[in-house]
Amino acid sequence: LRPNSVVEQLLYDPATNRLRGVRVIDAETMEAIEFEANLVFLCASTMESARLLLHSTSSSFPDGLANSSGQVGRNLMDHCMGGGAGGSVDGFLDRTTSGHRPNGIYIPRFKNATEKSSKFLRGYAYQGGAGRSGWGRGSSTPGFGAEFKQSLFEEGPWGISFYGFGECLPQESNYMTLDPTVKDKWGIPAVHVNMTWGPNERALLEDMQVSAAEMLEVAGVKDIRTFNEQAPPGRTIHEMGTARMGKDPKTSVLNKWNQAWDVPNLFITDGACMASTACQNPSITYMALTARAVDHAVDLLNRHEL
């Protein structure tokens, strides 16, 4: 472990078809330092891992390390979020909340689970919660003066809302590249992103509103209002897919063990490896994939195959 170390490049040895280590820039002194290793796990985050691969060019990999498939940086995904509904709940005015609750409510994906939807592929889940409104309701409540201000110190009525998170389909047209001119403080090219929601993601966001309103109405919620925040890609900060796993080295960067097809001692186990996004928070999946890949790498080392 070394602090203040910005990885600048992965070092490839064409004689062995292996990585020999990494080059870092000391963030304080700007000194370039190389570290050698027999095995490299690249887990810099979805876009940073792809940026390092694209920046680590050589005569063997002129388009980026481990990029014979041309898929590094492609298929960028992020959960589409922000469709849903909310409303008010009558009664329970003798109840309140106290302390810090650890989480809200969660409704797992239910569309395209048992019956196929004609509107879209895959599906979405809801996060949500309920609570009593506070003084912030004054921004949308009629009134003025001292009496009105004093009333805002009292808790208002109960409200409940469902907020959707949907799956993003992989598309080669959603991609990132290295900026040809802009570089960061350490001389590494900045990332240029080309990404937009497709028809499937937009259909998910629309349906999130409809289903949320239907469920709330059945539950007896009043004054239901739907919303679609039109959150752009990147807003959910669940980026995935820029060095995806697959069965074919022609169409993927990694094999089923998160091992690079082109460079056997390189493993990538962050969000870059994902071939699809599902609709739930992905971090625990990365942890499971990492444990699995490490176990496989140790097995290969013990058998002298790596």
Side-chain angles (χ1 to χ4, degrees), residues 236-258:
T236 317
I237 58 172
H238 292 171
E239 296 89 354
M240 295 176 246
T242 55
R244 66 179 179 177
M245 294 186 288
K247 295 181 178 180
D248 188 347
K250 294 180 181 179
T251 58
S252 58
V253 180
L254 309 172
N255 66 18
K256 66 179 182 179
W257 301 107
N258 292 78

Side-chain angles (χ1 to χ4, degrees), residues 108-220:
R109 173 185 156 184
F110 54 94
K111 289 295 181 78
N112 285 325
T114 58
E115 297 181 3
K116 187 175 181 180
S117 170
S118 61
K119 299 179 180 178
F120 49 79
L121 301 172
R122 313 297 170 82
Y124 54 86
Y126 290 115
Q127 294 181 29
R132 296 186 67 174
S133 57
W135 61 266
R137 69 184 185 277
S139 63
S140 58
T141 303
F144 63 91
E147 185 177 346
F148 171 70
K149 293 178 183 178
Q150 185 61 38
S151 71
L152 297 179
F153 283 97
E154 300 176 3
E155 289 187 299
W158 284 88
I160 185 171
S161 64
F162 296 158
Y163 189 94
F165 288 78
E167 181 162 353
C168 174
L169 298 181
Q171 301 284 349
E172 281 202 1
S173 57
N174 288 332
Y175 64 93
M176 52 161 283
T177 59
L178 299 184
D179 193 287
T181 57
V182 180
K183 297 184 178 181
D184 64 18
K185 178 181 177 180
W186 301 280
I188 307 171
V191 168
H192 185 83
V193 177
N194 296 270
M195 186 175 180
T196 186
W197 297 134
N200 203 73
E201 289 78 35
R202 290 193 290 271
L204 286 173
L205 289 165
E206 289 298 322
D207 201 74
M208 290 173 191
Q209 303 173 75
V210 175
S211 293
E214 290 174 346
M215 286 187 281
L216 291 172
E217 183 178 11
V218 171

Side-chain angles (χ1 to χ4, degrees), residues 30-96:
M30 303 300 287
E31 176 187 7
I33 308 170
E34 293 187 0
F35 294 94
E36 295 192 349
N38 294 324
L39 182 65
V40 174
F41 267 69
L42 177 57
C43 306
S45 79
T46 295
M47 299 177 74
E48 282 298 303
S49 289
R51 179 166 80 144
L52 283 169
L53 293 176
L54 292 171
H55 188 51
S56 300
T57 57
S58 64
S59 57
S60 301
F61 295 105
D63 298 320
L65 182 70
N67 194 25
S68 65
S69 65
Q71 294 299 307
V72 173
R74 297 279 172 176
N75 310 296
L76 178 61
M77 300 175 285
D78 185 25
H79 286 141
C80 56
M81 73 172 189
S88 59
V89 180
D90 289 339
F92 307 103
L93 297 180
D94 59 334
R95 308 288 182 88
T96 186

